[in-house]
Every structure is written in structure tokens, then in C-alpha cells.
Amino acid sequence: MKDDGKNNYNIFKSIPSGGGIERLTLENSIRKALQLEEFVLYYQPQIDSKTGEIIGTEALVRWNHPTLGLIPPAKFIPIAEETGLIVPLGKWVLKTACLQHQKWKEKGFPPMRVSVNLSSRQFSKHDLVETIKEILLETHIDPSYLELEITESMTMNVEVAIEILGKLKELGILICIDDFGTGYSNLSYLKQFAIDRLKIDQSFVRDIMTDSNDADIVATVIAMAHKLGIDVIAEGVETKDQLNFLRSQNCHEVQGFYYYPPIPAEQIEQLLMQTTTI
Ligand code: C2E
Ligand code: CA
Ligand code: CA
Ligand code: CA
């Protein structure tokens, strides 16, 4: 048992240098962890910047390793993506998040949007729409409460993106562009992509109080989104000053350590119990 832990520790230490044996061992560990259901979702509240109300949560996966404890996604998502294991892992994440939404609903909490990160490997899989349809049927979640977070790089092939996003919209789910501003973005297509929300990347939010360029970019993105009728959320909000700036620009929603870090589902319930009457 002790040996196991030590081996695994070495595996993680070797990331991201990667390559050879370690990678293969890690791949096998991830596969085994999926079978043993060692992954767990944390949920980070998304807040209405005007009222302070929790209006949604973002599901963020962690690996609850029996000997190493909680492993953050940066340590295993890249390898899961390279090996294709992100497809079954991503499916598990989607289903688990939808089931959690339903559990909260059954407990009588007011329904909250749940946002799930989609990897490019999942996005380009031909059966994505079918998989999501299946999950909607199995979990009975009202699709208007499920949001997928995609990144700009997934929309590089404009025609393909329009087609996939169109099909996803037909299912009634929401689409958010994550890390907005960090990648390729074909602004002229934003409207055709049928996007519901832009998430302003934390790298812009971090310096809004000290870097006037970042402040201008954030203000411009918010104004543009308003013009296009797209909602905006800012991530990585850590200070009251950042929050006030975002409020002054009418940024609808915020997410970040200033309010809450990602927390386990039970802690979300405690929060909801404090803030709602059921
Ligand atoms: P992301 O989707 O951009 O998620 C936001 C990350 O920022 C999360 O890190 C979150 O804990 C962190 N964060 C939240 N508020 C703050 C803040 O105020 N300040 C700072 N400095 N950071 C904040 P986390 O949970 O470690 O996730 C890292 C990345 O791993 C995610 O970035 C996402 O790209 C990926 N990831 C996580 N879960 C999944 C998943 O289920 N599927 C896929 N495909 N990727 C995932
Ligand atoms: Ca995200
Ligand atoms: Ca992000
Ligand atoms: Ca990111």
C-alpha cells in the first residue's frame, strides 16, 4: 500500500515532463480511478453581481486519490485529454453534475444552473449530441439549467462549430465561452454561434485595478456582449475593488474567491440553507 502511494507520487512529480513509462502508468491510474469512482466534483458558486444571490455553479473535477488525497485537474486533465480518457471522464462529469442538480431540486432548493467544462476532444466527437441527449433523458434535468463551457479554440472551424452549437441549442441547453479573450475569437461569428454567455478570463480580471489596458478590455467585452444580447460572467474575482469595477460596468455575474472557492456539494447545500428559505 505504502509502495503504491510512493509510486504514484513519483508519477505526479514527473508531470508535465511526461513521456514513456510514467505517462503510461498515469494513464492506467486514471482509467482505474474511473472504474473505482475516485473522481469527485466540486462546485463554485456563480453570483448575481447586483444581488449577491447564487444563480449557478461551475462543476470542477478533482481526483480523490486514496493515498495522495485531492489531486487538482491540472495534474490529470492534460493526460486525460491526450489519451482520450477525457471522453469517458467528461461523460461522468456531465452526468454527475446533472444528477447533483436534480438532487438539489428534490431537496427543495430553488433550481440553479450548473455549468460543465467540455474539452475539445469531447466537442469534436461525432456522438457528442447523442451523449448529451442520453444524459438529459437519464437524469431528467431541465436542459435550460445545463450550461456547457467551451473555449474559443473549439470554434476555429466556424462551419463545424455553427453546426454543433446549433444542435446543442436545439436540445435547449446553454453555451458559455470560457476563458474569453485568451484565444482565437472570430468576433463577427459570435452572434451566429448562438452563445448564451461569455466568461471573461481571470487573466484580465486579475489586473483590472492596476492595468488600464486590462480594465479597458474588460469594459469593452462587457459592452460588446450587451450589444449582442449575450450575458457576461467574470471569473477570478478576488477583491471588493474588482467586484465594484465589474458592477460599475454592469457585468451580470461574477465567480471567484472573493465570494467562494469551489466547494463540495454538501457545502453548497449549507450555503443555500443560509440564503434561502425552504
Ligand atoms: P477553468 O474552467 O478556467 O476553471 C477556473 C479555475 O479557476 C478553477 O481551477 C477554479 O478553482 C479557479 N478559480 C476560481 N476562482 C478563482 C479566483 O478567484 N482566483 C484564482 N486564481 N483562481 C480561481 P481548477 O478547479 O483547478 O480547474 C482548472 C482547470 O481544469 C479548469 O479551468 C478547466 O480548464 C479544467 N477542468 C476542471 N474540471 C474540468 C472538467 O470536468 N472537464 C474538463 N474538460 N476540464 C476541467
Ligand atoms: Ca470553466
Ligand atoms: Ca475559465
Ligand atoms: Ca482556464
Side-chain angles (χ1 to χ4, degrees):
M1 207 56 213
K2 218 176 164 215
D3 271 2
D4 260 348
K6 199 159 168 254
N7 272 338
N8 278 321
Y9 180 65
N10 286 334
I11 296 166
F12 287 109
K13 257 174 76 177
S14 72
I15 308 168
S17 57
I21 291 249
E22 293 91 345
R23 172 143 314 200
L24 194 63
T25 319
L26 183 55
E27 181 182 345
N28 287 333
S29 304
I30 296 174
R31 187 168 287 129
K32 213 173 93 194
L34 262 172
Q35 281 161 6
L36 298 175
E37 296 190 63
E38 288 174 3
F39 292 102
V40 59
L41 292 186
Y42 273 42
Y43 297 87
Q44 184 174 33
Q46 299 179 323
I47 311 291
D48 182 319
S49 68
K50 288 249 148 62
T51 63
E53 233 181 313
I54 301 173
I55 35 187
T57 63
E58 177 180 4
L60 293 153
V61 70
R62 276 96 182 85
W63 181 353
N64 195 4
H65 193 282
T67 53
L68 302 174
L70 219 54
I71 300 171
K75 298 265 186 194
F76 61 88
I77 291 278
I79 283 111
E81 270 171 359
E82 268 175 49
T83 55
L85 284 170
I86 193 70
V87 174
L89 175 58
K91 193 171 174 183
W92 178 86
V93 169
L94 258 168
K95 187 166 175 187
T96 305
C98 292
L99 286 174
Q100 185 61 63
H101 170 96
Q102 290 300 80
K103 271 186 212 158
W104 284 330
K105 188 180 164 194
E106 277 157 25
K107 289 187 179 185
F109 295 111
M112 252 186 333
R113 191 178 70 218
V114 64
S115 302
V116 174
N117 292 284
L118 210 66
S119 99
S120 53
R121 272 300 261 271
Q122 288 172 280
F123 191 71
S124 55
K125 261 207 120 220
H126 62 90
D127 60 355
L128 171 72
V129 176
E130 277 310 310
T131 300
I132 290 174
K133 245 190 222 166
E134 215 176 87
I135 289 171
L136 292 176
L137 278 173
E138 278 172 14
T139 63
H140 306 292
I141 186 175
D142 173 344
S144 66
Y145 286 106
L146 173 62
E147 180 169 80
L148 298 183
E149 295 196 0
I150 66 167
T151 57
E152 287 162 286
S153 62
M154 300 181 203
T155 64
M156 288 254 267
N157 187 330
V158 172
E159 263 115 69
V160 171
I162 288 178
E163 193 193 328
I164 299 174
L165 292 174
K167 282 185 185 157
L168 292 175
K169 288 307 305 175
E170 269 171 34
L171 297 181
I173 64 180
L174 306 169
I175 305 289
C176 171
I177 303 229
D178 200 0
D179 304 339
F180 188 76
T182 60
Y184 162 99
S185 65
N186 196 328
L187 294 177
S188 61
Y189 281 98
L190 268 181
K191 196 91 182 155
Q192 291 182 60
F193 282 155
I195 295 301
D196 298 283
R197 202 177 326 279
L198 295 181
K199 186 182 273 194
I200 301 176
D201 190 63
Q202 46 184 278
S203 62
F204 299 109
V205 175
R206 191 182 306 130
D207 300 325
I208 39 179
M209 302 319 293
T210 51
D211 184 332
S212 64
N213 285 330
D214 283 350
D216 287 345
I217 290 169
V218 168
T220 306
V221 169
I222 295 169
M224 177 195 71
H226 286 162
K227 275 232 164 77
L228 293 172
I230 298 172
D231 284 343
V232 205
I233 181 165
E235 71 177 345
V237 179
E238 294 181 353
T239 69
K240 180 87 189 171
D241 284 346
Q242 291 167 342
L243 174 65
N244 284 337
F245 176 84
L246 291 161
R247 273 188 183 143
S248 74
Q249 302 300 315
N250 292 316
C251 183
H252 308 150
E253 293 181 31
V254 290
Q255 177 180 351
F257 298 163
Y258 177 72
Y259 282 104
Y260 311 101
I263 49 180
E266 308 79 63
Q267 285 184 37
I268 293 282
E269 284 174 29
Q270 284 165 13
L271 274 182
L272 294 175
M273 239 121 61
Q274 288 160 18
T275 52
T276 55
T277 40
I278 61 164

